[in-house]
Amino acid sequence: MEVIDLLRDDARKDYKCYLLLEKLLKENAEFRKIITDGVLNGVIAGYTADIWEKIAAQNIRGIDSFEDVFRDGANIGYCTVAAKQLSYSFNGCFLCGGVVSYLKDTPNCKDGSHTWLVVNGKIIDTSLMIVIDENYSKKLGYVEENRYNPMVDPFYVAAKDFTLDKNLRK
């Protein structure tokens, strides 16, 4: 079994959101080894059913569903937008920015600049579609340059309330 099969959700295996991860696993032996070791040691996993439920439950403007972003692969190269949107589904999370060396020269990421979410000591990466123990992230080249608590912004809080309002669901 390939490591991608351990990270990809079976119900969503045809989603284009996994294309970047697949490419890096195929083309970069060092990246593949770090990911494989992380999976085998329980410090890297794919998105859980809980994360996918949070994605599906969001109200989002401009498109039918947030899950469509992942189905179409529109998460790749748009980490800031995807991480912020996903952050609405979590309490006590941080939006982090910095560099991930393995992402250099990938779509919209010439220099490796990247944004991710941190929840309870875990990085949720919306481009690589993985959840990483924060202590293991350095092995993947994550260099955090800033960490932001979005709940200090009243506009963020209002957007979060809209996103999670069950009365607005179709």
Side-chain angles (χ1 to χ4, degrees), residues 34 97 99 167:
I34 294 167
V99 174
N167 294 318

Side-chain angles (χ1 to χ4, degrees), residues 89-154:
S89 291
F90 292 93
N91 293 318
C93 69
F94 296 93
L95 288 166
C96 299
V99 174
V100 177
S101 57
Y102 289 107
L103 294 179
K104 287 182 182 167
D105 294 320
T106 61
N108 290 339
C109 192
K110 278 212 148 307
D111 63 356
S113 293
H114 194 46
T115 303
W116 58 90
L117 193 59
V118 173
V119 181
N120 299 323
K122 304 274 187 201
I123 289 174
I124 301 176
D125 192 309
T126 58
S127 294
L128 293 175
M129 301 302 296
I130 56 178
V131 180
I132 311 155
D133 187 291
E134 209 171 359
N135 295 323
Y136 193 76
S137 66
K138 304 259 185 294
K139 290 188 182 205
L140 277 170
Y142 283 78
V143 176
E144 185 178 304
E145 295 173 347
N146 56 64
R147 181 176 286 230
Y148 173 67
N149 175 359
M151 292 301 289
V152 302
D153 179 351

Side-chain angles (χ1 to χ4, degrees), residues 15-45:
Y15 281 20
K16 294 178 183 175
C17 59
Y18 297 107
L19 291 176
L20 178 60
L21 177 61
E22 290 172 354
K23 179 180 182 340
L24 291 171
L25 287 169
K26 181 180 176 184
E27 296 176 1
N28 190 315
E30 183 180 62
F31 178 83
R32 184 173 51 254
K33 178 168 179 13
I34 294 167
I35 293 288
T36 301
D37 289 349
V39 170
L40 294 175
N41 290 304
V43 292
I44 294 179

Side-chain angles (χ1 to χ4, degrees), residues 9 53 57 61 90 97 127 130 160:
D9 182 270
E53 286 170 18
R61 291 173 285 184
F90 292 93
S127 294
I130 56 178
K160 178 178 173 122

Side-chain angles (χ1 to χ4, degrees), residues 1-18 21-22 45-50 52 67 71 129:
M1 180 176 280
E2 298 282 327
V3 71
I4 187 67
D5 297 322
L6 300 172
L7 296 169
R8 193 173 26 211
D9 182 270
D10 285 341
R12 296 166 180 88
K13 64 184 175 192
D14 296 328
Y15 281 20
K16 294 178 183 175
C17 59
Y18 297 107
L21 177 61
E22 290 172 354
Y47 279 21
T48 61
D50 180 60
W52 282 111
E67 191 161 346
R71 181 179 295 112
M129 301 302 296

